[in-house]
Amino acid sequence: MPKHESESRKIALSGVFGALATVLMLMGGILPFATFAAPAAAGILLVPAAIEFGMKTGYLLYAAIGILSLFVVPDKEMSLIFIFFLGFYPLLKAALERIRSRAIQWLVKFSVFNVCILTMYAIVIFLFPIEAIVQEFSSAGLPFCALLLLLGNITFLIYDIAVARVVGLYCLRVRPKLIKMH
């Protein structure tokens, strides 16, 4: 395949996955639980671009969607969740899974999750306050916030497993069909 056709295919397929991810982020504002579900699904949509064209393409797509979501998605918390964790984690997961020790691998994964989420909420509460979130956390109290973080860690564990399964499904079912198309 000539280089210009290869570049065109790269741009087109990345554009399709990027557009789908952006639409998911926009649609996420409709349903209350989508604050976390939409960025989680959008992040998974970056994986095919990274598999087909390399991690650099995946991270560039992540950056583009992150910046775009800050401007067009009404729910800023959702955009920040995508930017601070759920957008890049499916890409980072491949590197983290090269760690040989499963215990260290999970320790690093949970550390990354907690540092990213706690940093994001610290910025949103203390540095650039989003009033609705500040009120929500101030009325909740510390024990409830700790419980919320624990539940977030459990949800992250499930998400990590789901990402692996979706990527496996893509590689086994979807990718062969994409390859046949060109």
Side-chain angles (χ1 to χ4, degrees):
M1 179 182 308
K3 184 170 171 65
H4 70 281
E5 286 181 28
S6 161
E7 285 296 313
S8 297
R9 183 174 182 271
K10 178 180 180 178
I11 292 168
L13 190 59
S14 296
V16 167
F17 284 115
L20 284 171
T22 304
V23 167
L24 269 173
M25 292 292 289
L26 282 167
M27 298 296 291
I30 296 171
L31 302 169
F33 69 87
T35 299
F36 301 99
I44 291 172
L45 285 172
L46 304 181
V47 174
I51 290 171
E52 300 303 327
F53 309 114
M55 293 305 277
K56 182 179 175 185
T57 300
Y59 281 110
L60 285 172
L61 197 54
Y62 152 73
I65 294 165
I67 292 167
L68 190 58
S69 72
L70 278 176
F71 291 108
V72 300
V73 174
D75 185 345
K76 297 305 173 206
E77 182 180 15
M78 184 185 336
S79 297
L80 292 171
I81 289 168
F82 177 84
I83 291 167
F84 273 84
F85 186 72
L86 291 173
F88 72 83
Y89 181 74
L91 301 172
L92 179 64
K93 179 176 168 52
L96 296 179
E97 291 189 345
R98 289 188 204 121
I99 298 171
R100 290 191 177 168
S101 167
R102 297 285 281 166
I104 294 173
Q105 186 184 112
W106 280 106
L107 179 66
V108 171
K109 286 179 179 183
F110 278 106
S111 296
V112 168
F113 170 75
N114 284 289
V115 166
C116 289
I117 294 302
L118 291 173
T119 300
M120 185 205 82
Y121 278 108
I123 290 170
V124 165
I125 292 170
F126 301 112
L127 197 55
F128 300 108
I130 296 176
E131 195 56 40
I133 296 171
V134 171
Q135 287 177 347
E136 189 176 322
F137 277 95
S138 64
S139 67
L142 193 58
F144 182 75
C145 291
L147 176 64
L148 201 56
L149 185 61
L150 174 65
L151 292 173
N153 277 273
I154 293 167
T155 304
F156 165 68
L157 173 66
I158 295 166
Y159 178 68
D160 183 86
I161 294 166
V163 169
R165 299 233 169 115
V166 170
V167 169
L169 182 67
Y170 170 78
C171 290
L172 290 173
R173 305 266 183 190
V174 178
R175 189 167 192 241
K177 292 176 183 172
L178 280 176
I179 292 171
K180 282 182 185 178
M181 288 174 57
H182 72 81

